[in-house]
Amino acid sequence: MTILVTGANGQLGNEMRIISKGSKDKYIFTDVVDASEESIAMLKKLAGDDINIDTLHLDITKLDAIRKMVSDNDISVIVNCAAWTNVDAAETAGDIVETLNASAPENLAIAMKEVGGLLVHVSTDYVFGGDPYNTPCKEDQKGTPTGVYGLTKLHGEKKIKATGCNYVILRTAWLYSEFGKNFVKTMLNLTATKPQLKVVFDQVGTPTYALDLANAIMTIIEDYKKEWNLRLGTRNYSKNGVYHFSNEGVCSWYDFTKMIAEIAGNTACVIQPCHSDEFPSPVKRPAYSVLDKTKIKIDFDITIPYWVDSLKKCIKSLQ
Ligand SMILES: NC(=O)c1ccc[n+]([C@@H]2O[C@H](COP(=O)([O-])OP(=O)(O)OC[C@H]3O[C@@H](n4cnc5c(N)ncnc54)[C@H](OP(=O)(O)O)[C@@H]3O)[C@@H](O)[C@H]2O)c1
């Protein structure tokens, strides 16, 4: 099979490069930007000099370009790692956020519908948050986003479903990796350089190491391949649907930061808990956005690592 990865130079896309190394399938990595020198160096450090660092240009807002890429390369699966991911900036960025988070995934879904392929699309816990929760959110719970980012991601999910393509939508949360900018890298730097730091404790969720998410995506692709081989006639995937994936466990951003500092040995920095209203932002974040992962664990027989164990692995890679 040939598998297309979009947004390949982002956090998750780079982990897909690592996790797919050695696969019997052919992976094509695409983005609108070239890989940075920093990312290429990290890829080689983590996966060796023979890691695939190539990037073909593909703008997922352009349906004709997607169609051409799919037909020229006989693509059977698309893994969409591209998105507008800046939650605060989404409030004022205008139409591009809806275009990238809703219309573009619809383009990918249309292209997969036309060839009977599968779209693996990544969504977010921020499709929830408008209602107060104190239990983990299930896949069929009503979306109640609090900002433009969550709303446009929810629109993207609906548009994908409406095309009738084979799809797996994976909602994830608090994503971090060795690549790009993220909370872990920011806090590693701040706890190493600042004498004290305040971090919110009234927002609770679960961190997700993008390598673990990439691993889950590979499991889904392998499952799809088994079925695809058996049912070439119909090509309807029995596990089409929405799934939740984060690491195991629950913490606040404050606990997350304390653990980052402890693992890194940044003990000189005094980290104090504070309320969200001390850091006003354009979007109200959910107070409790824990995802219930029962469905993915049962349907795909996935064992999910505890968030502290994965955090240790990522920080070790960064050091
Ligand atoms: N980050 C989180 O905390 C988080 C939490 C929950 C869910 N998610 C979801 O997880 C997925 C992966 O997130 P991530 O953090 O890996 O994202 P990321 O690091 O921001 O990577 C996204 C990549 O897509 C590229 N891109 C932008 N516009 C494009 C276009 N028109 N066509 C093709 N590629 C384009 C970006 O390029 P530029 O850098 O030039 O924009 C970037 O390389 C996303 O769907 C996101 O919504 C993320």
Side-chain angles (χ1 to χ4, degrees):
M1 255 187 194
T2 306
I3 293 148
L4 178 77
V5 179
T6 62
N9 293 330
Q11 294 198 78
L12 178 61
N14 273 307
E15 303 290 2
M16 285 300 302
R17 290 180 189 269
I18 293 174
I19 211 87
S20 63
K21 189 186 164 189
S23 166
K24 288 191 191 109
D25 297 312
K26 180 178 177 194
Y27 277 77
I28 296 179
F29 297 98
T30 66
D31 205 306
V32 286
V33 285
D34 288 334
S36 66
E37 291 299 322
E38 190 190 347
S39 291
I40 291 172
M42 181 58 76
L43 280 169
K44 289 186 174 174
K45 177 182 156 192
L46 297 178
D49 283 345
D50 57 343
I51 184 81
N52 185 347
I53 56 166
D54 296 342
T55 306
L56 296 187
H57 186 274
L58 180 64
D59 180 347
I60 63 165
T61 65
K62 309 275 189 260
L63 179 56
D64 286 346
I66 297 167
R67 281 189 170 125
K68 185 167 182 340
M69 180 71 73
V70 167
S71 73
D72 285 356
N73 298 285
D74 194 19
I75 303 292
S76 303
V77 177
I78 297 178
V79 180
N80 182 28
C81 305
W84 179 284
T85 53
N86 187 328
V87 177
D88 287 337
E91 295 300 308
T92 51
D95 294 346
I96 181 64
V97 188
E98 176 78 13
T99 303
L100 198 45
N101 286 350
S103 309
E106 180 184 34
N107 290 340
L108 299 172
I110 290 169
M112 284 298 89
K113 174 71 180 166
E114 287 169 355
V115 299
L118 171 73
L119 173 62
V120 180
H121 172 74
V122 184
S123 190
T124 172
D125 60 327
Y126 282 6
V127 300
F128 303 116
D131 295 336
Y133 309 112
N134 56 14
T135 53
C137 299
K138 293 215 164 112
E139 286 80 357
D140 56 0
Q141 199 164 309
K142 188 174 175 288
T144 56
T146 59
V148 171
Y149 170 72
L151 183 65
T152 56
K153 293 292 284 186
L154 190 59
H155 289 164
E157 293 184 8
K158 288 180 180 162
K159 283 180 180 256
I160 289 168
K161 290 178 199 168
T163 65
C165 75
N166 283 322
Y167 70 92
V168 170
I169 294 172
L170 288 167
R171 293 192 190 126
T172 192
W174 298 22
L175 203 63
Y176 67 89
S177 74
E178 297 87 353
F179 302 93
K181 286 185 192 156
N182 57 60
F183 187 81
V184 171
K185 289 170 81 175
T186 301
M187 287 304 168
L188 278 173
N189 179 35
L190 291 179
T191 57
T193 54
K194 300 264 180 202
Q196 55 187 29
L197 206 58
K198 282 185 174 182
V199 188
V200 298
F201 78 99
D202 56 1
Q203 290 172 32
V204 168
T206 314
T208 307
Y209 183 21
L211 185 67
D212 294 335
L213 177 57
N215 206 13
I217 291 172
M218 292 298 282
T219 304
I220 291 165
I221 292 172
E222 286 306 313
D223 184 86
Y224 174 71
K225 270 168 55 186
K226 269 188 231 150
E227 206 169 287
W228 190 81
N229 286 335
L230 288 174
R231 302 169 66 193
L232 272 176
T234 63
R235 294 197 179 176
N236 285 326
Y237 186 36
S238 67
K239 292 176 188 164
N240 281 339
V242 178
Y243 294 85
H244 287 172
F245 185 94
S246 66
N247 280 123
E248 293 286 20
V250 176
C251 65
S252 71
W253 292 108
Y254 165 74
D255 301 302
F256 193 12
T257 308
K258 290 282 285 181
M259 191 54 73
I260 292 165
E262 187 182 316
I263 295 167
N266 296 342
T267 48
C269 180
V270 178
I271 304 161
Q272 292 172 323
C274 71
H275 292 92
S276 297
D277 56 16
E278 286 191 50
F279 288 101
S281 83
V283 185
K284 189 180 177 316
R285 261 70 168 184
Y288 185 95
S289 68
V290 178
L291 297 172
D292 187 320
K293 302 175 286 285
T294 309
K295 187 178 168 196
I296 196 166
K297 287 192 276 189
I298 292 174
D299 281 11
F300 293 99
D301 197 19
I302 283 172
T303 304
I304 303 178
Y306 178 50
W307 71 271
V308 177
D309 296 335
S310 291
L311 181 61
K312 284 180 184 164
K313 284 186 187 158
C314 182
I315 291 177
K316 196 173 169 208
S317 297
L318 283 164
Q319 287 171 337

